[in-house]
Amino acid sequence: MDALARLLEGPRARGAFMIRAAFDPPWCLRVEDRAPLTIMLVVRGRAWITPSEGERLLLGAGDLAIARGPDPYTCADDPGTAPQAVILPGGECSYPDGRSLQGHWDLGVRSWGDRTDGSTVLLIGTYMMRGEISGRLLDALPPVLSLTRDVWDCPFTPILAEEMARDEPGQEVVLDRLLDLLMISALRAWFARPQAAAPAWYRALADPVVGRVLRLLQDDPAHPWTVATLAAKAGVSRAALARRFGELVGEPPMTYLTGWRLALAADRLRETDDTLESIARRVGYGSGFALSSAFKRVYGISPQEHRTRAA
């Protein structure tokens, strides 16, 4: 599996919040749902995305934006329009003064806004819990990224729009998988841009020395690696490897390996019923106790707490 595939294998929606939003100007939504990742696709009209930090973005028809939580942002017809609704955790909505908006803007199955044929139409999909997205992927993304229609052409868009209007058995599962495909396709296009701000370790894969070491660590994390054995595999001295790895990746090889092992463990805790001992052996720890100690030191919670929250 290549490095990009490893980075993008994380999105796995579970009961994602999906909605078709339709508005006539002026309109403005203040998003405070603290969701880890939200994708917004403009079907018709245009929308301004203004994050709490960074530059605002203008999206036209066919353009797409991905917002990384938990920081709030606004989505509006114009940056100067005052918020008319606040999106809260769990898909709850309220007026800016706190009064509930529940049911007031409903337009049918997964449709919301002023009127179904509004001049602006957006398809919105939200991953509700951080466990549905790998931490390594979230860390690699800016607060808001965008893709314009000239570099972004996804065949899943019309399928998603059609399926969002359906209310059939198993429909949530269908929409979850479509959202995953849409997200992966968009992120792949974003990382493929020449100016893409990929994470340091991803760029370092092009280096003949560090790239080889990274692949060794990623492909066989359970091996008892040391700086000496890695240096021997790469054909350089330990000092040369430590210096070059630190310069390109931003941390020592063993620190990177620890982060990679714990990230893999976190994913397996979320996605499987494997025992802690089994996961520990799979990712390179001698015992479940050793893995638990390292996990709690880095993540601040025990493996069991992480599994419970993800469920």
Side-chain angles (χ1 to χ4, degrees), residues 140-159:
L141 300 178
V144 179
L145 65 88
S146 66
L147 290 167
T148 55
R149 58 184 176 273
D150 57 326
V151 297
W152 159 255
D153 182 21
C154 181
F156 304 122
T157 303
I159 301 174

Side-chain angles (χ1 to χ4, degrees), residues 285-298:
Y285 282 89
S287 67
F289 178 78
L291 171 59
S292 182
S293 297
F295 196 95
K296 191 165 186 177
R297 184 172 61 252
V298 172

Side-chain angles (χ1 to χ4, degrees), residues 85-96:
V86 181
I87 312 301
L88 301 167
E92 297 294 322
C93 306
S94 72
Y95 288 104

Side-chain angles (χ1 to χ4, degrees), residues 226-232 235-245 253:
T226 65
V227 175
T229 57
L230 290 169
V236 297
S237 69
R238 287 180 295 175
L241 173 60
R243 181 177 61 255
R244 193 173 186 86
F245 198 99

Side-chain angles (χ1 to χ4, degrees), residues 1-18:
M1 184 183 293
D2 63 56
L4 184 57
R6 288 188 185 279
L7 191 65
L8 298 184
E9 67 177 343
R12 295 200 174 87
R14 294 181 178 86
F17 179 71
M18 306 281 292

Side-chain angles (χ1 to χ4, degrees), residues 2 19 54 62 81 97 161 188 196 247 267 297 311:
D2 63 56
I19 200 161
T81 302
D97 62 8
R188 184 170 61 181
E247 290 173 352
D267 287 345
R297 184 172 61 252

